[in-house]
Amino acid sequence: MTVRARNIIVLGATSAIAEATARIWAAAGANFVLVGRDPARLQAIAQDLSVRGAKSTSIVSIDCVRANARDELQKMVKTLGRLDLLLLAYGALGDKEILEQDQKAIERLVATNFTSSIAWSLAASRILEQQRSGTLIVLGSVAGDRGRQSNFVYGATKAGLACLVEGIAHKLAPTGARAVVVKPGLVDTPMTEAFQKKGFLWSRPEDVARIIARSAERGGPIVYAPSFWGWIMLIIRLAPTWIFNRLRI
Amino acid sequence: MSSPPLIDRDDYCSWGRVVRRRQRVVRPHFFSELPGLVGLPSSKLAIGRRRSYGDSCLNSDGSLIDMCGLDRFISFDAKKGVLRAEAGVVLSDILHLTVPSGWFLPTTPGTRFVTLGGAVANDVHGKNHHSAGSIGRHVRAIGLLRSDRGRLTVTPASEVALYSATIGGLGLTGVIEWVELDLARIAAAHVDVECLPFENLEEFWALSAESVGNFEHTVAWIDCVSKGSKIGRGIFTRGNWSTTGSLIPHKDETWKTVPIEAPSSLLNTRSIGAFNEVYYHLQKRKRKSRLHYAPFFYPLDSVLHWNRLYGRSGMLQYQCVIPKGEARRAIPHMLSEITRSGGASFLAVLKTFGALASPGLLSFPREGATLAIDFPNRGRDTLEALARLDQIVQEFHGALYPAKDGRMPARLFRQSFPGWEEFSKATDPAMSSDFWRRVAS
C-alpha cells in the first residue's frame, strides 16, 4: 500500500487507534492538526509524529463534545490550507450497568458518540463537498450492527453514527469526495483495558490502523477492521431470533 | 483523566516461561499517568517486552507497570546521531527510523524486540562488545521517575551514583521514562561476514585473538552436544559493516511464528544432536558472505515466539562470564559438565568480552569470555546440572547474567556483583522484583 502525503485533521488524536494510524501518515510526510483534550498528551504525540516524518503538526486542545464543530473546523482547515482527510476517532464505551440506570450517563455517552460526532461529520462533509475531494473517516464499531445484551446503548450510538456516515457517503458520491465508517471488532486499547484479552478475535491498534490508512485511499463506505469481522457480523445479523436470543453475547 | 486500572493477568511470563505466577499489571500510555502509579501502596516494577529469561522482569508480590504503551520518539538528530525516546520504544522501531539516515544502535542484543528502557536497565551487550562495550557506555541521559524524589534527569555528570545504579539496575532505581542515546554511523545496512569452523576450544581462542583487532563483530556457536574428540567444536562468525550499499531497514515479517507450545519432549538430546550435526556441516561450507543486519544480528527474530518450542515447562538460560585470566581453564570444565549432564540445547554461544568497562554497578559484561546456553526445563535434573555449573563459575570468579537468570543463589550473586550493597542503597524504596527479593533479602 502506498500512502500519499496529506493534510489531516485527527479528532481524538490521543486514542490508541488514532495515534497508530497517524504514525503511518506521518511516515509519508503528512501535515497534521491533532485535536484532543489534554495538551501535554497531544504534545507528546505531535513530537513523535514529527520525528517519524510529519511535515508539520499543530495541536488544538478542545473538548470535541462541547466545541462548536463548524467554527473550530474552519479554523483548523485554515491552518492546513486544505483538508484531505479527517479522522474522527474519539468516543467512549461507557459502563453497561451504569448506562442502564443513569440518564445523565446515557446523555453523556450519546453526546460523545453521536450528537457531537454528527456535528463534526456534517461540518467536514460541507468542506469536502465544496472542495470536491478529500475523505471523512469515522470510527464506528461492530457493536452497532445488531443490538446485543452486552453493550446495546453503546451499540445504538455507533449504529446511528454508521447510518449517518453512509448517508454522507451517498451525498458526497457525485462530487469525488468520500466518507467511510471503519468498524473495528475487539481491539486491545485503553478503552478495553478491563477485558480479558484471550483468543484470536483481539487485534492490536496497529492492525486496525493499517486498515484505516487503506480506507483513506479507497473502499467504503463500510469497512470492517480486520475484515473477518464482516463475516462474523453477517452471521450475527442473519441469525434467526430464536437462535440469537439463546446466545450469551 | 483517571489512571489506568490494575488488572490480574496470568499471561505475563518472562521469556523462559518457567515462572507461571499471576501478575498485577497496569498499562499506562502517557507520562502524566506515571506519578500516580509510582505512588501505589504495593511494590512496583516497570517492565518492557519481557525478553528477560527468568524472574528479573516479574514482581509477583506487587504490581508491574507495563511500559510498552510509552513508545514515542522525543527527538532524533540525524546529523549527530543522537536519539531521545520513551522507554517503551522497541529497538526494532528505532532501526526503522535511523537506518535510512545511516545510524545504527551502538550495540545490540540478539533480539530487536526489546524496549529501549529494558536494554538500559539490563545494560545489554552485543557481538561488538570488544569494540563498543555495553549499551550503557552510549547513554547520554536518562529520565527517571522516583517515588521519593520525583522526576530526575540522570546523567554521568549530574547524578553519579544514581547513574551507575540505573544502568544495568534492572528497573530497581525508579521508572526509566526516557533515554537519550548516541548512535553509531553506518555506511550500509549490510555486514561483510566470515564463518570459520573450529574443531576445539584451542582453535576458538586463537581465532578470537586473531579477530578482535580487525573485526567489529565476533561470536561463536558451539556444538555442546557432541562428545569425545568433537567437544568444543563450533563455528566462529566475524564481520564488519559494509562500506558501500543501500540503507534499507529490515522488514518485520510476522507470519513466521510458533503458534502453540510444542510438546515438551520435542527438544531432547537426540533431536538437538541431529540439529547440531546438520547445522555444523551446513555452516562449515559458508565462508564469506554479505548479510543484511537483520539475519546477522537477529537470526532468531524471524521466528516469533520461538521460546514455545521448549513446551509447557519452558527453558532456563545459563549465561556466565569468566574473567580473562581464568576463562581458558574454566570454559572446558563447563563444556564437559554440560555434555555430561546431557541437558543442553542447540543455542550455545561463546564470545570474548573486551576491556571496555561497563558503567553499571550491576552490569554483567567484564573482560573475559561469556558462555550462554539454553536448557529445556526438566525440573530437578536441570537445576542440579546448573548448580554444578555455578560451582565452576564461583571457583573461577565469574558471574551470571541477571537478565538471563531465574535461580542463582544469593551467595553467588553477592560474590560476583561486589557493588550490590552500594547498589541497594540507590534503589527506589517503592521498587522490587522477584529476582531482587531472591538475591538481596
Side-chain angles (χ1 to χ4, degrees), chain B residues 8-280:
Chain B
D8 260 342
R9 298 186 57 148
D10 54 15
D11 57 336
Y12 269 55
C13 343
S14 57
W15 191 244
R17 299 161 71 84
V18 172
V19 185
R20 305 255 185 178
R21 269 168 277 173
R22 273 182 169 269
Q23 304 288 324
R24 298 178 76 213
V25 183
V26 60
R27 302 197 298 171
H29 285 79
F30 294 92
F31 283 157
S32 56
E33 294 164 315
L34 288 170
L37 298 176
V38 171
L40 288 170
S42 65
S43 76
K44 279 128 313 230
L45 182 69
I47 56 151
R49 290 275 182 122
R50 289 166 275 135
R51 295 290 165 139
S52 296
Y53 282 68
D55 55 358
S56 63
C57 62
L58 298 173
N59 191 23
S60 310
D61 295 355
S63 38
L64 297 175
I65 303 175
D66 181 334
M67 299 291 286
C68 294
L70 288 147
D71 64 343
R72 298 179 191 92
F73 293 111
I74 298 168
S75 62
F76 171 47
D77 183 335
K79 288 203 180 73
K80 295 185 184 143
V82 179
L83 177 88
R84 185 182 282 206
E86 294 180 0
V89 168
V90 180
L91 300 189
S92 187
D93 289 347
I94 293 178
L95 296 178
H96 275 295
L97 176 74
T98 64
V99 166
S101 40
W103 295 99
F104 203 79
L105 294 160
T107 184
T108 174
T111 170
R112 61 182 185 269
F113 300 127
V114 300
T115 60
L116 181 57
V120 171
N122 289 284
D123 196 13
V124 297
H125 60 269
K127 295 180 170 70
N128 62 347
H129 182 273
H130 58 278
S131 54
S134 63
I135 201 167
R137 292 180 65 93
H138 309 271
V139 171
R140 298 163 60 99
I142 298 168
L144 191 70
L145 175 65
R146 301 260 312 183
S147 68
D148 52 357
R149 295 177 60 193
R151 287 207 156 100
L152 305 168
T153 298
V154 178
T155 67
S158 69
E159 292 271 356
V160 185
L162 198 49
Y163 182 81
S164 57
T166 300
I167 289 185
L170 304 166
L172 296 161
T173 63
V175 176
I176 297 178
E177 293 192 305
W178 53 263
V179 174
E180 189 176 294
L181 193 66
D182 274 323
L183 302 173
R185 257 277 174 231
I186 51 169
H190 293 81
V191 184
D192 296 319
V193 186
E194 285 178 29
C195 289
L196 306 156
F198 55 89
E199 292 300 326
N200 53 50
L201 283 174
E202 280 314 311
E203 287 184 32
F204 166 82
W205 300 119
L207 275 171
S208 204
E210 169 203 320
S211 306
V212 288
N214 307 317
F215 291 88
E216 196 176 345
H217 310 285
T218 66
V219 72
W221 168 82
I222 300 248
D223 175 4
C224 62
V225 180
S226 62
K227 291 182 179 156
S229 62
K230 292 179 184 170
I231 207 165
R233 73 171 179 179
I235 308 287
F236 193 92
T237 303
R238 58 192 192 186
N240 283 316
W241 283 104
S242 304
T243 46
T244 54
S246 62
L247 283 165
I248 300 167
H250 63 279
K251 285 200 181 70
D252 276 318
E253 293 172 2
T254 51
W255 54 271
K256 276 186 279 182
T257 179
V258 179
I260 50 164
E261 282 169 331
S264 288
S265 56
L266 177 73
L267 297 186
N268 53 44
T269 315
R270 196 174 294 169
S271 67
I272 291 167
F275 171 87
N276 282 7
E277 191 69 30
V278 172
Y279 185 79
Y280 180 77

Side-chain angles (χ1 to χ4, degrees), chain A residues 14 16 19 23 37-38 41-42 44-45 47-48 51-52 188-190 193-198 204, chain B residues 1-2 5 7-11 25 27 29-30 32-33 71-76 83 86 93 97:
Chain A
T14 58
E19 188 177 2
R23 287 180 180 181
R37 281 175 297 176
D38 186 323
R41 293 181 180 193
L42 290 171
I45 292 168
Q47 230 163 2
D48 173 69
V51 174
R52 288 173 192 267
D188 184 4
T189 67
E193 188 61 32
F195 291 47
Q196 280 298 324
K197 287 159 183 147
K198 277 190 185 159
R204 297 170 308 150
Chain B
M1 306 255 164
S2 57
I7 309 284
D8 260 342
R9 298 186 57 148
D10 54 15
D11 57 336
V25 183
R27 302 197 298 171
H29 285 79
F30 294 92
S32 56
E33 294 164 315
D71 64 343
R72 298 179 191 92
F73 293 111
I74 298 168
S75 62
F76 171 47
L83 177 88
E86 294 180 0
D93 289 347
L97 176 74

